Amino acid sequence: AIIVRKEILIPIFCGVFFVENVSVMIQVAYFKYTKKRFGEGRRIFLMSPLHHHYQKLGYHESKIAVRFWIVSILCIVMSIITLKIR
């Protein structure tokens, strides 16, 4: 994406990693906000990063990994298609 000067595709291309990082940022920000406002921190996810949240919900680790692979492949295909359109 950097070589062909389409840097906007990087969040799409790295969709799973981007969502994992954003989930951590959301969790930390919300926890700090609720701790300041209510005196005790509350959480949006059971655990952060996002794949640990799914483990806490009862999904098996291999199922989570395979689904993240599928989502990664779909993100890559979508970014390549977007690259070909322009």
Side-chain angles (χ1 to χ4, degrees):
I2 294 172
I3 292 172
V4 295
R5 307 189 58 66
K6 302 289 183 191
E7 292 84 6
I8 196 75
L9 292 177
I10 291 174
I12 298 170
F13 190 73
C14 303
V16 172
F17 302 110
F18 184 72
V19 169
E20 290 272 326
N21 287 324
V22 169
S23 72
V24 172
M25 289 188 279
I26 289 171
Q27 182 88 327
V28 169
Y30 187 74
F31 187 84
K32 287 183 178 182
Y33 169 73
T34 56
K35 186 164 179 104
K36 186 181 287 187
R37 177 137 191 225
F38 301 113
E40 66 176 9
R42 300 178 185 166
R43 291 177 169 83
I44 296 174
F45 305 111
L46 296 176
M47 187 182 269
S48 191
L50 192 60
H51 65 274
H52 290 305
H53 172 74
Y54 290 125
Q55 285 178 343
K56 290 281 189 175
L57 287 176
Y59 292 102
H60 195 266
E61 186 177 350
S62 62
K63 183 183 274 190
I64 297 168
V66 170
R67 289 186 181 178
F68 277 28
W69 291 342
I70 292 169
V71 171
S72 293
I73 291 169
L74 291 174
C75 287
I76 292 168
V77 168
M78 190 167 70
S79 64
I80 290 173
I81 289 171
T82 304
L83 184 65
K84 293 286 185 181
I85 290 174
R86 295 177 187 196

